[in-house]
Each structure stands twice: as structure tokens, then as C-alpha cells.
């Protein structure tokens, strides 16, 4: 199995290079630091990409397992050649990231996403146009949507959070006139202006189920979302909303409803899901609003880093995006 290798400079030449640094001015030192950081990130990203080759251990074209190193691409990526079909490939072939030209920034881009930088802030940090930063972000996000829990077992909690419908970034074809920032909703309470997001999680777990529902949630939309997840012995704790009254009968499960104005009823409560909503609100804050068409992707992005009290590293995020289980 070919492994990723880096060539290090000889010790004598490296000592000369370090010595030469003392002759540089402040501006030149900053330039060297920036370049060194970029190259270190690139080498680290290359090592991560090589893990995908080790994981798949097969040609992405024919699934043949016999391949060898075959030089480097123009972007200095390690190229491989399949001995079965004769086609060449890299560690990113077949992933959404394979068409990114500047692969030196892959890890830095993942770090910007971990730090929840806005598109403009990420563009400034990466030294690229904001449209490029936007595109790179959206190439990474679809892979995150597959991390929904497979089932809700035991005692689970469910509730909806509401996000105001947003046409952020929409230049034409809006169904209503554009609002100025921070304009209040026209209708109070739940309306078609508010997009419901159904959240659910098992007691004692942070692996949350998050789904964007059509406006004005009802028993049908919630049962469609939760139906494939619940088991006959699932006990669902929910608030006093009317839709949960018929949900238990429709799904064949026990539903405990917390009366309005109470925090808990005996051992039943929805404090974990309320805490989840609080984390979601805090997490969305730096973005100053998210377009409704991207809401599901941003929630999947939140869920990936919220899965553990210790957020995943950028390297793990990148590995996940290229399909390496972590
Ligand atoms: Zn092949």
C-alpha cells in the first residue's frame, strides 16, 4: 500500500535557512510565516488525503486493488495509476473537493468552518474571493447531512425551533419586497413566515436528529420525520402542543406531554432538547442569519461539531468530508 511521504531538507541546508531568517525584515518575516503556515497546512492535508487511499484501497474507476504511485499532478498532488484499468487518480478523485484548484487551503478552510467564520471573514483569512470561500464551504457541507441518528430508543425528547424565513443572498425573484435587516416579523407567533425545525434526541445523548419541516408543523409532518426513527418501546417527551396528542397514536408510541408553564412533570422533561435549541441559537449567531434554502446544511454543520462536548478538530472534519470514517 503506497503511503504519503514528505521529503525533509538536509540538516545542513536547514540550518543555513534558519540562519538566513535573522537577516529578514519584519514584513519579509510575516511573508515567510504566512507561506510556512500555508505549506504546513497543505502537507497535513496531503497526509489526510492519503488516509482516504489507505481506507478505500481501491481504484475509484474500476475498484481494482492493484495500483501504484504515478508522479504528481500540476497541483502537486500524489497521483496513482491503476494496474487493472490503466487510469490515474488522486486521493480526492470522486469527492466533491477534487475540483478545488488550490488544495493548499483545504485544511485552512475546514478550520474556518470549525471556527464558524462568516463567508467574508473566511475569504479574508484564506486570501480568496468571497464567492470562492462560499463555494468551498458549500462543497464540504453536503457530506454532513448523512449524520442523522438511525433511531430514537428509550426515553427521547422532541420539540420544534423556529427560524424566520430568509431570502438572504437572493437578488431577484423574491416573492415579497426585501426587508431591511432586523425588521420584525409581520405576524406574532407561529405563521407561514416561520420555518419549523424539528429536533429530537435520546436522553443522555448529544447525537441529535434535526430536520427542517414545511411551515406550520402538524402531526403529519412530524410523524413523517420521526416515524422511521422511533421504536415501539420509545417514550417521547414533548411540550403541550396539540400536534403531539395524536402523534403517539399515529406512531404507536407513548408520548408524555409537559403541561404549558411547567418545566417538568415527574421524571419527564424536555430540558435536553431545550438546551440543544439554546446551543443552536448561539451557534448561528456569528452568521447574522442564514438563507432558508441553506438552513438544513447549516444545521447539519452544527450537528457535526455539537456531537461531542469537545468539538471535532478541523482535520477530522476534512476526513469526514472526503468519506474517511473517523
Ligand atoms: Zn482501475
Amino acid at each position: 500500500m503506497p503511503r504519503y511521504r514528505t521529503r525533509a531538507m538536509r540538516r545542513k541546508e536547514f540550518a543555513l535557512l534558519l540562519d538566513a531568517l535573522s537577516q529578514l525584515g519584519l514584513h519579509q518575516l510575516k511573508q515567510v510565516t504566512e507561506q510556512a503556515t500555508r505549506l504546513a497546512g497543505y502537507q497535513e492535508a496531503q497526509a489526510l488525503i492519503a488516509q482516504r487511499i489507505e481506507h478505500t484501497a481501491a481504484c475509484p474507476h474500476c475498484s481494482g486493488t492493484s495500483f501504484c504511485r504515478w508522479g504528481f499532478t500540476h497541483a502537486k498532488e500524489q497521483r496513482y495509476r491503476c494496474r487493472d484499468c490503466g487510469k490515474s487518480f488522486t486521493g480526492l478523485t470522486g469527492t466533491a473537493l477534487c475540483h478545488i484548484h488550490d488544495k493548499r487551503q483545504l485544511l485552512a478552510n475546514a478550520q474556518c468552518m470549525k471556527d464558524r467564520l462568516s463567508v467574508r471573514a473566511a475569504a479574508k483569512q484564506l486570501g480568496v474571493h468571497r464567492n470562492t470561500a462560499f463555494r468551498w464551504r458549500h462543497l464540504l457541507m453536503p457530506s454532513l447531512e448523512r449524520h442523522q441518528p438511525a433511531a430514537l430508543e428509550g426515553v427521547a425528547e422532541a420539540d420544534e425551533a423556529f427560524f424566520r424565513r430568509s431570502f438572504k443572498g437572493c437578488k431577484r425573484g423574491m416573492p415579497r419586497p426585501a426587508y431591511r435587516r432586523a425588521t420584525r416579523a409581520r405576524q406574532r407567533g407561529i405563521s407561514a413566515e416561520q420555518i419549523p425545525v424539528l429536533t429530537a434526541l435520546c436522553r443522555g445523548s448529544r447525537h441529535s436528529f434535526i430536520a427542517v419541516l414545511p411551515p406550520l408543523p402538524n402531526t403529519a409532518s412530524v410523524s413523517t420525520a420521526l416515524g422511521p426513527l422511533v421504536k415501539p418501546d420509545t417514550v417521547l417527551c414533548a411540550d403541550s402542543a396539540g400536534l403531539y396528542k395524536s402523534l403517539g397514536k399515529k406512531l404507536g408510541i407513548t408520548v408524555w406531554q409537559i403541561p404549558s408553564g411547567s418545566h417538568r412533570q415527574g421524571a419527564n422533561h424536555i430540558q435536553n432538547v431545550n438546551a440543544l435549541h439554546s446551543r443552536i441559537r448561539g451557534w448561528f449567531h456569528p452568521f447574522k442569519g442564514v438563507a432558508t434554502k441553506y438552513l438544513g446544511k447549516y444545521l447539519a454543520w452544527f450537528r457535526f461539531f455539537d456531537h461531542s462536548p469537545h468539538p471535532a478538530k478541523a482535520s477530522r472534519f476534512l476526513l469526514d468530508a472526503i468519506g474517511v470514517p473517523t
Side-chain angles (χ1 to χ4, degrees):
M1 173 63 56
R3 293 180 70 87
Y4 179 72
R5 289 180 305 212
T6 53
R7 273 182 299 175
M9 189 182 259
R10 285 181 187 166
R11 192 182 290 177
K12 201 173 173 183
E13 292 164 338
F14 184 61
L16 286 171
L17 176 70
L18 287 180
D19 194 42
L21 290 179
S22 60
Q23 297 165 25
L24 301 181
L26 180 61
H27 183 65
Q28 288 172 319
L29 275 173
K30 280 183 179 173
Q31 282 183 311
V32 169
T33 309
E34 278 174 21
Q35 181 69 357
T37 307
R38 203 169 293 150
L39 288 173
Y42 179 59
Q43 290 208 0
E44 201 178 337
Q46 287 296 321
L48 295 172
I49 292 165
Q51 284 189 38
R52 182 168 181 265
I53 290 290
E54 286 175 34
H55 169 67
T56 56
C59 163
H61 304 293
C62 71
S63 304
T65 52
S66 178
F67 56 89
C68 59
R69 291 170 183 278
W70 198 253
F72 293 86
T73 65
H74 285 298
K76 302 279 185 287
E77 279 181 274
Q78 177 68 58
R79 189 195 283 127
Y80 303 90
R81 184 174 183 270
C82 175
R83 291 193 178 105
D84 295 333
C85 67
K87 291 181 180 173
S88 61
F89 57 92
T90 70
L92 289 178
T93 300
T95 70
L97 306 183
C98 98
H99 299 297
I100 290 182
H101 287 292
D102 190 1
K103 295 188 175 64
R104 291 173 302 173
Q105 304 275 39
L106 282 175
L107 199 58
N109 182 47
Q111 185 64 45
C112 288
M113 289 185 71
K114 181 179 183 278
D115 295 341
R116 293 180 290 151
L117 295 189
S118 65
V119 168
R120 282 167 195 268
K124 192 175 176 187
Q125 185 141 323
L126 299 171
V128 297
H129 191 269
R130 61 178 184 277
N131 292 353
T132 307
F134 177 87
R135 195 170 62 84
W136 287 359
R137 171 171 296 186
H138 282 258
L139 283 175
L140 280 171
M141 282 201 284
S143 64
L144 302 171
E145 292 182 284
R146 65 177 188 272
H147 291 301
Q148 295 276 29
L152 291 172
E153 292 174 298
V155 179
E157 300 176 24
D159 199 5
E160 312 99 62
F162 289 87
F163 287 78
R164 197 169 163 206
R165 185 185 290 278
S166 168
F167 295 95
K168 186 176 180 180
C170 185
K171 298 283 190 299
R172 58 183 78 87
M174 276 180 60
R176 60 160 172 77
Y179 295 150
R180 287 189 67 81
R181 183 173 287 177
T183 305
R184 286 181 177 274
R186 297 200 168 187
Q187 288 176 273
R188 291 181 63 190
I190 299 169
S191 70
E193 222 177 326
Q194 306 285 347
I195 303 299
V197 171
L198 180 67
T199 55
L201 77 176
C202 293
R203 191 71 56 83
S205 165
R206 282 175 70 117
H207 195 187
S208 51
F209 169 78
I210 305 179
V212 180
L213 300 183
L216 302 172
N218 52 35
T219 308
S221 60
V222 173
S223 66
T224 304
L226 289 182
L229 300 178
V230 295
K231 305 288 177 195
D233 60 346
T234 302
V235 176
L236 194 68
C237 295
D239 62 14
S240 59
L243 68 93
Y244 290 106
K245 281 181 186 159
S246 48
L247 185 72
K249 203 175 279 182
K250 188 155 186 176
L251 295 178
I253 58 167
T254 307
V255 175
W256 286 98
Q257 288 191 274
I258 313 301
S260 179
S262 304
H263 292 297
R264 61 191 306 145
Q265 191 177 48
N268 302 312
H269 61 81
I270 52 167
Q271 288 169 4
N272 292 307
V273 86
N274 284 340
L276 173 69
H277 288 187
S278 174
R279 295 198 299 276
I280 291 175
R281 297 283 176 207
W283 192 86
F284 271 76
H285 188 70
F287 301 119
K288 306 278 189 289
V290 169
T292 298
K293 62 182 174 182
Y294 301 132
L295 186 57
K297 287 181 178 179
Y298 274 73
L299 287 164
W301 174 6
F302 158 80
R303 188 177 53 225
F304 182 84
F305 285 109
D306 186 67
H307 187 248
S308 158
H310 308 290
K313 290 180 177 173
S315 54
R316 195 181 148 226
F317 179 41
L318 185 60
L319 280 175
D320 188 87
I322 59 176
V324 180
T326 53

